[in-house]
Amino acid sequence: MTTPILYSLRQCPYAMRSRLGILHAQQTVVLRDIDMKNKPEEMLSISPKGTVPVLQLSDGKVIDESLDVMIWALTQSDPNNLLYSHDKQKLPQMLELIHRSDNEFVDALQKYRAASRYHDSNKEECRERCCEWLMKIEHALTQHAYIMGEKVSLVDYAILPFIRQFSRVDKKWYAQAPLPYLRAWLVKHYNDPTFSKAMFTYPKWHKDADDIIFGDF
């Protein structure tokens, strides 16, 4: 049996969430950090859409959606109970919240980032759309330590990379924004050694490169 291969990109939020899922599931993969301007044929041959993450399992099966990578990893092993297996109603709720985030919040975030980059006059309007969604997360965090409860869950790690992006668009504004619980939640994740491990910088992969083993080792 060969080790699964993960095609990734350090700063891509979708790839980031997949790496976090793999680490928390204590799985091991061969990590291939790619150059998006020179996408490897090995990746394109198994996932023609050309986006990361792409996970090729040892049996040849390919998973090329980030949330599916997280679910695959955590169904192999979930030592921290990120799927809240003690309550069967929680996983559907988590998946619904993540899908809403991926559609509503991420869409608003992309517009906010573009408005900031190009100094568009609608920057504040775009930011307000983001905040409308984030206030729901802020409210949840006033009730308990993490989004779903007192214990960390799949949701926290699935939306973490995007909230990180939001926080970096206008750092001065974010530092004083009416989101104190969200800021504390984000800092808590930054201080987690697993986050640092997920964000470690590896050399860009090429076909003659040595394997980089990533995960539970």
Short mmCIF file of all heavy atoms in Angstrom, two decimals, residues 187-217:
data_model
loop_
_atom_site.label_atom_id
_atom_site.label_comp_id
_atom_site.label_asym_id
_atom_site.label_seq_id
_atom_site.Cartn_x
_atom_site.Cartn_y
_atom_site.Cartn_z
N VAL A 187 -7.02 34.05 17.57
CA VAL A 187 -5.73 34.00 18.26
C VAL A 187 -5.51 32.64 18.91
O VAL A 187 -4.40 32.10 18.89
CB VAL A 187 -5.64 35.13 19.30
CG1 VAL A 187 -4.41 34.94 20.21
CG2 VAL A 187 -5.58 36.49 18.62
N LYS A 188 -6.56 32.07 19.46
CA LYS A 188 -6.46 30.74 20.08
C LYS A 188 -6.01 29.71 19.06
O LYS A 188 -5.17 28.85 19.36
CB LYS A 188 -7.81 30.37 20.69
CG LYS A 188 -7.84 29.08 21.46
CD LYS A 188 -9.03 29.00 22.42
CE LYS A 188 -10.33 29.50 21.85
NZ LYS A 188 -11.44 29.40 22.82
N HIS A 189 -6.53 29.80 17.85
CA HIS A 189 -6.10 28.87 16.79
C HIS A 189 -4.65 29.15 16.38
O HIS A 189 -3.87 28.22 16.14
CB HIS A 189 -7.02 28.98 15.58
CG HIS A 189 -8.34 28.30 15.79
ND1 HIS A 189 -8.47 26.95 15.96
CD2 HIS A 189 -9.60 28.82 15.86
CE1 HIS A 189 -9.75 26.64 16.11
NE2 HIS A 189 -10.45 27.75 16.06
N TYR A 190 -4.29 30.42 16.27
CA TYR A 190 -2.92 30.76 15.91
C TYR A 190 -1.92 30.20 16.92
O TYR A 190 -0.80 29.82 16.56
CB TYR A 190 -2.74 32.28 15.84
CG TYR A 190 -3.34 32.95 14.62
CD1 TYR A 190 -3.53 34.31 14.59
CD2 TYR A 190 -3.70 32.22 13.50
CE1 TYR A 190 -4.07 34.95 13.47
CE2 TYR A 190 -4.24 32.84 12.38
CZ TYR A 190 -4.43 34.20 12.38
OH TYR A 190 -4.95 34.82 11.27
N ASN A 191 -2.31 30.14 18.18
CA ASN A 191 -1.42 29.67 19.23
C ASN A 191 -1.36 28.14 19.34
O ASN A 191 -0.57 27.60 20.11
CB ASN A 191 -1.84 30.25 20.58
CG ASN A 191 -1.58 31.74 20.67
OD1 ASN A 191 -0.71 32.27 19.97
ND2 ASN A 191 -2.33 32.44 21.52
N ASP A 192 -2.19 27.47 18.56
CA ASP A 192 -2.20 26.01 18.55
C ASP A 192 -1.04 25.51 17.70
O ASP A 192 -0.93 25.87 16.52
CB ASP A 192 -3.54 25.53 17.97
CG ASP A 192 -3.69 24.02 17.97
OD1 ASP A 192 -2.69 23.32 18.19
OD2 ASP A 192 -4.81 23.55 17.73
N PRO A 193 -0.17 24.67 18.23
CA PRO A 193 0.97 24.16 17.44
C PRO A 193 0.55 23.46 16.15
O PRO A 193 1.31 23.45 15.18
CB PRO A 193 1.65 23.18 18.40
CG PRO A 193 1.26 23.63 19.77
CD PRO A 193 -0.13 24.19 19.62
N THR A 194 -0.66 22.90 16.13
CA THR A 194 -1.12 22.23 14.91
C THR A 194 -1.28 23.22 13.77
O THR A 194 -1.02 22.89 12.61
CB THR A 194 -2.45 21.50 15.17
OG1 THR A 194 -2.27 20.58 16.25
CG2 THR A 194 -2.90 20.73 13.93
N PHE A 195 -1.71 24.43 14.08
CA PHE A 195 -1.85 25.45 13.04
C PHE A 195 -0.48 25.78 12.44
O PHE A 195 -0.33 25.88 11.22
CB PHE A 195 -2.50 26.71 13.58
CG PHE A 195 -2.70 27.78 12.55
CD1 PHE A 195 -3.75 27.72 11.66
CD2 PHE A 195 -1.81 28.84 12.44
CE1 PHE A 195 -3.93 28.69 10.68
CE2 PHE A 195 -1.98 29.82 11.47
CZ PHE A 195 -3.04 29.74 10.60
N SER A 196 0.52 25.93 13.29
CA SER A 196 1.88 26.21 12.80
C SER A 196 2.37 25.07 11.93
O SER A 196 3.03 25.29 10.91
CB SER A 196 2.83 26.41 13.99
OG SER A 196 2.45 27.55 14.74
N LYS A 197 2.04 23.86 12.31
CA LYS A 197 2.45 22.70 11.52
C LYS A 197 1.76 22.70 10.15
O LYS A 197 2.38 22.39 9.13
CB LYS A 197 2.11 21.42 12.29
CG LYS A 197 2.77 20.16 11.78
CD LYS A 197 2.51 19.01 12.74
CE LYS A 197 3.21 17.74 12.29
NZ LYS A 197 2.96 16.62 13.23
N ALA A 198 0.49 23.08 10.15
CA ALA A 198 -0.27 23.14 8.88
C ALA A 198 0.28 24.20 7.96
O ALA A 198 0.18 24.09 6.73
CB ALA A 198 -1.74 23.39 9.16
N MET A 199 0.86 25.26 8.53
CA MET A 199 1.31 26.41 7.74
C MET A 199 2.82 26.40 7.48
O MET A 199 3.36 27.38 6.95
CB MET A 199 0.92 27.70 8.44
CG MET A 199 -0.57 27.92 8.54
SD MET A 199 -1.39 27.88 6.92
CE MET A 199 -0.66 29.33 6.14
N PHE A 200 3.49 25.33 7.81
CA PHE A 200 4.92 25.24 7.56
C PHE A 200 5.19 25.38 6.05
O PHE A 200 4.43 24.89 5.22
CB PHE A 200 5.47 23.91 8.06
CG PHE A 200 6.96 23.80 8.01
CD1 PHE A 200 7.74 24.33 9.02
CD2 PHE A 200 7.59 23.17 6.94
CE1 PHE A 200 9.13 24.23 8.98
CE2 PHE A 200 8.97 23.08 6.88
CZ PHE A 200 9.74 23.61 7.89
N THR A 201 6.26 26.09 5.72
CA THR A 201 6.61 26.31 4.31
C THR A 201 7.50 25.19 3.80
O THR A 201 8.59 24.97 4.33
CB THR A 201 7.32 27.66 4.14
OG1 THR A 201 6.47 28.71 4.61
CG2 THR A 201 7.65 27.90 2.67
N TYR A 202 7.02 24.49 2.77
CA TYR A 202 7.78 23.42 2.13
C TYR A 202 8.22 23.86 0.74
O TYR A 202 7.60 24.73 0.13
CB TYR A 202 6.92 22.16 2.01
CG TYR A 202 6.57 21.52 3.33
CD1 TYR A 202 5.35 21.77 3.94
CD2 TYR A 202 7.47 20.67 3.98
CE1 TYR A 202 5.01 21.19 5.16
CE2 TYR A 202 7.14 20.08 5.19
CZ TYR A 202 5.92 20.34 5.77
OH TYR A 202 5.60 19.77 6.98
N PRO A 203 9.28 23.26 0.22
CA PRO A 203 9.70 23.57 -1.15
C PRO A 203 8.61 23.19 -2.15
O PRO A 203 7.85 22.25 -1.92
CB PRO A 203 10.96 22.72 -1.34
CG PRO A 203 11.41 22.31 0.02
CD PRO A 203 10.18 22.26 0.86
N LYS A 204 8.55 23.92 -3.25
CA LYS A 204 7.61 23.57 -4.31
C LYS A 204 7.98 22.21 -4.89
O LYS A 204 9.15 21.89 -5.08
CB LYS A 204 7.62 24.63 -5.41
CG LYS A 204 7.07 25.98 -4.97
CD LYS A 204 5.62 25.90 -4.57
CE LYS A 204 5.07 27.26 -4.15
NZ LYS A 204 3.69 27.15 -3.63
N TRP A 205 6.94 21.44 -5.17
CA TRP A 205 7.17 20.08 -5.64
C TRP A 205 7.50 20.05 -7.13
O TRP A 205 6.96 20.83 -7.92
CB TRP A 205 5.94 19.22 -5.40
CG TRP A 205 6.13 17.79 -5.84
CD1 TRP A 205 6.80 16.81 -5.17
CD2 TRP A 205 5.67 17.21 -7.06
NE1 TRP A 205 6.80 15.64 -5.90
CE2 TRP A 205 6.11 15.86 -7.07
CE3 TRP A 205 4.95 17.70 -8.15
CZ2 TRP A 205 5.82 15.00 -8.12
CZ3 TRP A 205 4.67 16.84 -9.21
CH2 TRP A 205 5.10 15.51 -9.18
N HIS A 206 8.38 19.15 -7.52
CA HIS A 206 8.63 18.82 -8.93
C HIS A 206 8.83 17.32 -9.02
O HIS A 206 9.05 16.65 -8.00
CB HIS A 206 9.84 19.59 -9.48
CG HIS A 206 11.11 19.35 -8.73
ND1 HIS A 206 11.96 18.30 -9.00
CD2 HIS A 206 11.67 20.03 -7.68
CE1 HIS A 206 12.99 18.33 -8.19
NE2 HIS A 206 12.85 19.36 -7.37
N LYS A 207 8.76 16.79 -10.21
CA LYS A 207 8.69 15.32 -10.35
C LYS A 207 9.93 14.60 -9.86
O LYS A 207 9.87 13.40 -9.59
CB LYS A 207 8.38 14.95 -11.80
CG LYS A 207 9.44 15.36 -12.81
CD LYS A 207 9.02 14.94 -14.20
CE LYS A 207 10.06 15.30 -15.24
NZ LYS A 207 9.64 14.89 -16.60
N ASP A 208 11.05 15.30 -9.77
CA ASP A 208 12.27 14.67 -9.29
C ASP A 208 12.53 14.93 -7.81
O ASP A 208 13.57 14.54 -7.27
CB ASP A 208 13.47 15.15 -10.10
CG ASP A 208 13.36 14.77 -11.57
OD1 ASP A 208 12.92 13.64 -11.85
OD2 ASP A 208 13.68 15.62 -12.44
N ALA A 209 11.58 15.59 -7.15
CA ALA A 209 11.77 15.94 -5.74
C ALA A 209 11.58 14.72 -4.84
O ALA A 209 10.85 13.79 -5.16
CB ALA A 209 10.79 17.04 -5.35
N ASP A 210 12.24 14.75 -3.70
CA ASP A 210 12.04 13.71 -2.69
C ASP A 210 10.66 13.90 -2.06
O ASP A 210 10.12 15.00 -1.97
CB ASP A 210 13.10 13.81 -1.60
CG ASP A 210 14.50 13.47 -2.11
OD1 ASP A 210 14.59 12.70 -3.09
OD2 ASP A 210 15.49 13.96 -1.51
N ASP A 211 10.08 12.78 -1.60
CA ASP A 211 8.79 12.85 -0.96
C ASP A 211 8.86 13.64 0.36
O ASP A 211 9.83 13.50 1.13
CB ASP A 211 8.27 11.45 -0.65
CG ASP A 211 7.74 10.73 -1.88
OD1 ASP A 211 7.57 11.40 -2.91
OD2 ASP A 211 7.51 9.51 -1.80
N ILE A 212 7.86 14.46 0.61
CA ILE A 212 7.70 15.14 1.88
C ILE A 212 6.55 14.49 2.61
O ILE A 212 5.40 14.51 2.15
CB ILE A 212 7.42 16.64 1.68
CG1 ILE A 212 8.64 17.33 1.04
CG2 ILE A 212 7.06 17.32 3.00
CD1 ILE A 212 8.39 18.77 0.63
N ILE A 213 6.84 13.88 3.74
CA ILE A 213 5.81 13.21 4.51
C ILE A 213 5.19 14.20 5.47
O ILE A 213 5.88 14.88 6.22
CB ILE A 213 6.40 12.01 5.30
CG1 ILE A 213 7.11 11.05 4.34
CG2 ILE A 213 5.29 11.29 6.07
CD1 ILE A 213 6.21 10.47 3.26
N PHE A 214 3.87 14.28 5.41
CA PHE A 214 3.13 15.28 6.17
C PHE A 214 2.06 14.57 6.99
O PHE A 214 1.36 13.69 6.49
CB PHE A 214 2.47 16.27 5.20
CG PHE A 214 1.58 17.29 5.86
CD1 PHE A 214 2.10 18.47 6.36
CD2 PHE A 214 0.21 17.07 5.97
CE1 PHE A 214 1.29 19.44 6.95
CE2 PHE A 214 -0.62 18.00 6.56
CZ PHE A 214 -0.07 19.21 7.06
N GLY A 215 1.91 14.99 8.24
CA GLY A 215 0.83 14.46 9.05
C GLY A 215 1.32 13.85 10.34
O GLY A 215 2.19 14.43 11.02
N ASP A 216 0.78 12.71 10.69
CA ASP A 216 1.05 12.08 11.99
C ASP A 216 2.32 11.26 11.91
O ASP A 216 2.31 10.10 11.51
CB ASP A 216 -0.13 11.21 12.38
CG ASP A 216 0.07 10.57 13.74
OD1 ASP A 216 0.70 11.22 14.60
OD2 ASP A 216 -0.38 9.43 13.94
N PHE A 217 3.46 11.89 12.25
CA PHE A 217 4.73 11.16 12.24
C PHE A 217 5.60 11.62 13.39
O PHE A 217 5.32 12.63 14.04
CB PHE A 217 5.46 11.33 10.91
CG PHE A 217 5.66 12.75 10.51
CD1 PHE A 217 6.79 13.47 10.92
CD2 PHE A 217 4.73 13.43 9.71
CE1 PHE A 217 6.98 14.79 10.54
CE2 PHE A 217 4.92 14.75 9.32
CZ PHE A 217 6.04 15.43 9.75
#
